[in-house]
Amino acid sequence: MTEGADRVTSTAPSAAMAPVPYRVRSRVVESPDAATLCLEPLDAVLPAPQPGEFMMLYAFGVGEAAISISGDPTVTDGSITHTIRAVGAVSRALHGAQPGTLIGVRGPFGTTWGLDEAAERDLVMVAGGVGLCPLRPAILGALANRTRYGRLMLVVGARSKADFLFAAQLEKWADDPHIELHLTVDVPVQDWRGEVGLVTEPLRRLALRPDRTTAFLCGPEPMLRFGAAALLAKGVAARDIRVSLERNMQCGVGWCGHCQLGPLLVCRDGPVVGYDVAGPLLRVKEL
């Protein structure tokens, strides 16, 4: 069982299901439908989440949703950061929460990207759309401990230039010699001078040392499948490709079964899973 799962199962049921009040400290609009919220504790402070884990966020009077961590893992002031895309009633309420708003928080839950296990290896991180949000803590964590890793490669795809999240940070990374950044869009605009197409195109061109490469992928399931296929074709082992799965999580602790994917309960056994486990499941239609 993973470290994240150990943390959940050792938590008393009442504590695991009781939201802790946090206040919105700041809100930053990232794209037309996404905003980043920094939440600060009112009293009780939950354990610091690790890259890849998620929290259950409760919009009072509306409902609860599982939201990945998107903040800097080196921050130690007790705050937690989430980037939320407005797609449903709960996410719209969370997305629109202004500074001072109270939000209920449970967690952290789930598995991590496994940065420690990837030490001394090259890292390839591939993000499609809002998939950059769960990957951002892993990127920041790797940059904060840069000497622990070999090459650090980041491939990010979006529908258009306006849809890239963390635009200012992407510009900074583009000039940072410690990270190799590749950006691509589906729909080019007049002032776009970068790549056009799927994230698999720059991924296929990367020269990798397959036996020393660990890959993290996050995005829509077709992107996970095609991205993993491109890495497998280069000789990267399936167990060294880690993907973040998305399912309808309602309890966060593996009780309700809503997030079942074959033998997995994604909230407990994921969301980050090796492709040796996830690959066969993602090939089954409507599973």
Side-chain angles (χ1 to χ4, degrees), residues 14 21 36 38 46 61 115 153 155 168 212 222 237 241-242 245 252 266 272:
S14 59
T36 295
C38 179
L46 292 170
L115 276 175
M153 297 156 274
V155 180
R212 297 195 59 185
I241 302 171
R242 295 178 64 77
L245 303 174
V266 174
V272 181

Side-chain angles (χ1 to χ4, degrees), residues 42-205:
L42 290 185
D43 186 11
V45 180
L46 292 170
Q50 300 301 307
E53 293 181 327
F54 68 94
M55 313 293 279
M56 298 297 296
L57 301 186
Y58 184 69
F60 292 105
V62 183
E64 192 177 44
I67 307 292
S68 296
I69 302 298
S70 66
D72 188 341
T74 66
V75 172
T76 58
D77 63 358
S79 66
I80 53 176
T81 298
H82 300 271
T83 301
I84 303 163
R85 184 183 176 200
V87 294
V90 178
S91 60
R92 281 195 298 269
L94 294 169
H95 168 274
Q98 299 300 314
T101 303
L102 294 184
I103 290 176
V105 182
R106 294 193 290 121
F109 300 121
T111 52
T112 73
W113 286 110
L115 276 175
D116 288 342
E117 292 87 341
E120 311 301 328
R121 297 171 64 85
D122 297 335
L123 293 178
V124 177
M125 304 191 192
V126 186
V130 294
L132 184 57
C133 302
L135 274 174
R136 183 171 176 256
I139 300 165
L140 294 172
L143 286 172
N145 297 277
R146 190 63 188 86
T147 58
R148 296 190 66 195
Y149 307 98
R151 293 171 63 194
L152 176 54
M153 297 156 274
L154 174 61
V155 180
V156 184
R159 287 173 296 181
S160 68
K161 180 181 178 180
D163 292 303
F164 280 112
L165 303 176
F166 317 116
Q169 195 154 55
L170 288 176
E171 289 184 10
K172 180 180 178 181
W173 288 341
D175 296 327
D176 189 338
H178 297 103
I179 184 170
E180 303 169 34
L181 178 64
H182 303 266
L183 301 179
T184 184
V185 299
D186 297 335
V187 182
V189 292
Q190 190 172 2
D191 62 344
W192 177 252
R193 296 179 177 84
E195 298 191 50
V196 178
L198 303 176
V199 294
T200 49
E201 296 308 313
L203 186 58
R204 289 191 181 101
R205 292 195 297 271

Side-chain angles (χ1 to χ4, degrees), residues 216-267:
F216 302 156
L217 280 66
C218 190
E221 284 190 7
M223 189 221 82
L224 299 183
R225 294 198 304 272
F226 289 116
L231 290 163
L232 291 169
K234 288 179 174 291
V236 180
R239 66 178 178 276
D240 293 327
I241 302 171
R242 295 178 64 77
V243 299
S244 184
L245 303 174
E246 184 174 356
R247 285 296 183 275
N248 180 16
M249 303 183 203
Q250 294 194 10
C251 70
V253 293
W255 293 346
C256 71
H258 280 85
C259 64
Q260 184 174 6
L261 177 65
L264 303 180
L265 291 175
V266 174
C267 72

Side-chain angles (χ1 to χ4, degrees), residues 28-43:
V28 177
V29 175
E30 302 287 356
S31 74
D33 61 356
T36 295
L37 303 183
C38 179
L39 308 179
E40 59 184 4
L42 290 185
D43 186 11

